[in-house]
Amino acid sequence: MPHQTLTPDLIRDTYAAIQSATIRTPLVPATRLSLQLGIDLHLKLENLQHTNAFKSRGALAKLLTLTDGQKQAGVIACSAGNHAQGVAYHATRLGIASTIVMPEGTPFNKVKRTEDFGATVVLHGKGFDDSVQFTLDLAEKDGLTFIHPFDDPIVAAGQGSVALEMLDQDPDLDVIVVPIGGGGLISGMAMAAKDLKPAVEIIGAQAQHFDAVAAQFNNAQTHFDPEPTLAEGIAVKQPSAANIAHIKTHVDRVDTATEAQIEDAVFDLLSAEKLVAEGAPGAGLAVIKNNLDALRGKKVGLVICGGNIDSRLLSTLILRGLVRDGRITRLTFEIDDRPGQLADISRIIGEAGANVVEVIHQRMMQSVSLKQAELDVVIEARDMSHVKTIVSALRDQGFRLRTDSGV
């Protein structure tokens, strides 16, 4: 097959080829977030795509170009999860055997779902970049066709179909924000979007720990950090050179977000819009929140590129988000060790309209005096202002206490 180059025509032709077997995901107004942020935000829900991520578009696009001999021999891919599931799902659907190499430490739910889609999973390496050469060697050894997650114009063309749908669903979009890992999604989307609407602004979003594209785009030093990121789906150290070239040509800016900002954004999507999103779209929303002044008065589209977040991680993230919002708070009291203290505290909290979630009464493992005790009371409140009201009421009754939030 002759070498392909990513072009608007290739993106349109690829979309025509995959359209019947992919979901035209909705583009919906983010009503609550728009009110909170003061912008007109719309979300492209690729978390509702087959395998709950946009990656199935590019995977299918590549699989449809294979020869009969390549289909019979089987395919192999290297992925932290979403590309893996996309390849596994569509390969099995098309009767093609698939092997997926996943980094050690990949969330269990992604490994299981990939296996459930019919793939053979091999765990190797600490991250995507560590696993690539192993995957290429295995492909050569077993005669398998390697399907790269982003360094392939056919794959990037499949991902570019997201932009075709967005601008068809709402031609008035002024800005499209796209998370970046290896650059396949934003390369295809930026090229397709600029071809349809040259004035549309394309903004890329990366995790600060994996900012290779932002560094090259902004002619800055990369800040690669070996620390783990919530946005593991875009944790790529070495993006494709071809994609970098497309990004520099068609993308207007690339920004990064910290881990705390990404975590807050994922919680915002869940709390405000009731959407389960992984870290990558969280990076996109975080970049939007960091640029609100520049985005006011514009219609902004954000790609919710995946929803495959580990359930245990999501549970912890929700609790941490509730703590940050003041909706769950720990009050630590130093009380006289005599009857009735806990009853009085519970009564004041209840009269203030809060709920006691947990009580830990500690007499031994503490530094207070012998005739005192330390009491931890975890409460559920409406927000941080409500917590301040409760703490004030308790202190007015003579109780000595401190809170995790410093109120």
Side-chain angles (χ1 to χ4, degrees):
M1 179 179 295
H3 177 73
Q4 294 275 10
T5 300
L6 184 64
T7 64
D9 284 342
L10 178 62
I11 296 170
R12 283 189 288 269
D13 291 344
T14 300
Y15 183 42
I18 68 173
Q19 192 169 8
S20 64
T22 54
I23 297 171
R24 182 181 169 91
T25 56
L27 178 70
V28 300
T31 306
R32 293 181 183 86
L33 279 176
S34 293
L35 288 171
Q36 291 174 16
L37 302 178
I39 62 172
D40 187 8
L41 179 63
H42 297 252
L43 307 175
K44 177 63 169 169
L45 303 185
E46 283 296 290
N47 57 329
L48 302 181
Q49 187 59 255
H50 291 307
T51 73
N52 304 111
F54 75 96
K55 288 284 191 177
S56 64
R57 295 175 182 261
L60 175 59
K62 185 64 176 180
L63 289 167
L64 293 177
T65 66
L66 300 183
T67 65
D68 289 341
Q70 289 173 322
K71 292 177 182 178
Q72 187 172 3
V75 298
I76 189 169
C78 175
S79 167
N82 287 337
H83 178 64
Q85 293 178 52
V87 171
Y89 170 77
H90 283 296
T92 299
R93 190 178 63 81
L94 295 170
I96 303 170
S98 63
T99 299
I100 308 295
V101 178
M102 306 182 82
E104 297 168 2
T106 297
F108 172 74
N109 72 314
K110 292 190 175 184
V111 175
K112 184 178 186 303
R113 291 188 64 180
T114 303
E115 291 176 332
D116 288 345
F117 285 133
T120 299
V121 173
V122 178
L123 298 176
H124 181 86
K126 295 181 179 180
F128 169 79
D129 302 273
D130 296 333
S131 306
V132 172
Q133 190 57 52
F134 175 83
T135 306
L136 292 171
D137 293 342
L138 196 58
E140 184 176 0
K141 171 178 170 291
D142 295 339
L144 307 175
T145 298
F146 178 51
I147 301 182
H148 200 287
F150 54 81
D151 191 11
D152 186 310
I154 298 293
V155 172
Q159 324 301 29
S161 63
V162 176
L164 296 181
E165 288 184 357
M166 289 180 75
L167 287 173
D168 182 56
Q169 290 164 319
D170 193 338
D172 295 329
L173 288 174
D174 299 303
V175 181
I176 298 176
V177 180
V178 187
I180 306 176
L185 176 63
I186 197 169
S187 293
M189 285 191 63
M191 182 175 287
K194 292 287 189 178
D195 181 65
L196 286 173
K197 186 177 181 179
V200 70
E201 183 180 1
I202 307 296
I203 299 176
Q206 286 206 290
Q208 191 178 73
H209 288 179
F210 290 85
D211 68 342
V213 173
Q216 293 190 51
F217 185 88
N218 297 314
N219 296 315
Q221 184 71 31
T222 183
H223 297 96
F224 167 68
D225 191 326
E227 293 296 319
T229 175
L230 177 59
E232 80 274 351
I234 54 174
V236 178
K237 289 186 285 186
Q238 295 182 335
S240 156
N243 289 339
I244 290 288
H246 293 309
I247 290 168
K248 287 184 174 181
T249 301
H250 300 292
V251 174
D252 295 280
R253 61 186 294 180
V254 179
D255 290 342
T256 64
T258 66
E259 287 303 300
Q261 291 167 348
I262 293 171
E263 182 180 338
D264 284 349
V266 172
F267 181 76
D268 287 344
L269 287 166
L270 182 65
S271 178
E273 301 300 331
K274 305 302 180 273
L275 291 173
V276 175
E278 57 194 68
L285 179 57
V287 164
I288 288 172
K289 291 169 69 177
N290 290 340
N291 291 279
L292 291 178
D293 288 343
L295 297 175
R296 295 194 200 285
K298 299 178 180 179
K299 183 173 282 191
V300 182
L302 168 63
V303 184
I304 306 299
C305 52
N308 290 314
I309 186 170
D310 180 73
S311 55
R312 179 185 56 81
L313 193 65
L314 181 62
S315 175
T316 302
L317 183 147
I318 292 170
L319 290 174
R320 284 163 58 109
L322 293 174
V323 170
R324 282 195 303 275
D325 284 355
R327 289 153 68 183
I328 292 182
T329 300
R330 181 175 61 182
L331 311 178
T332 301
F333 296 82
E334 291 181 13
I335 61 173
D336 295 332
D337 194 7
R338 58 182 173 79
Q341 295 282 282
L342 178 56
D344 288 342
I345 289 170
S346 299
R347 175 182 54 78
I348 295 167
I349 292 172
E351 289 174 351
N355 183 42
V356 175
V357 177
E358 185 177 41
V359 175
I360 302 174
H361 197 183
Q362 184 63 259
R363 289 185 174 87
M364 294 178 293
M365 311 297 288
Q366 58 185 350
S367 58
V368 296
S369 66
L370 183 61
K371 290 189 176 181
Q372 289 186 317
E374 192 169 83
L375 180 70
D376 282 345
V377 180
V378 179
I379 64 170
E380 183 180 9
R382 291 190 296 272
D383 51 30
M384 194 58 71
S385 177
H386 192 199
V387 172
K388 291 179 180 178
T389 300
I390 296 165
V391 170
S392 179
L394 288 162
R395 286 175 175 157
D396 286 346
Q397 294 298 314
F399 288 103
R400 299 183 300 277
L401 72 151
R402 63 185 185 274
T403 72
D404 288 342
S405 57
V407 173

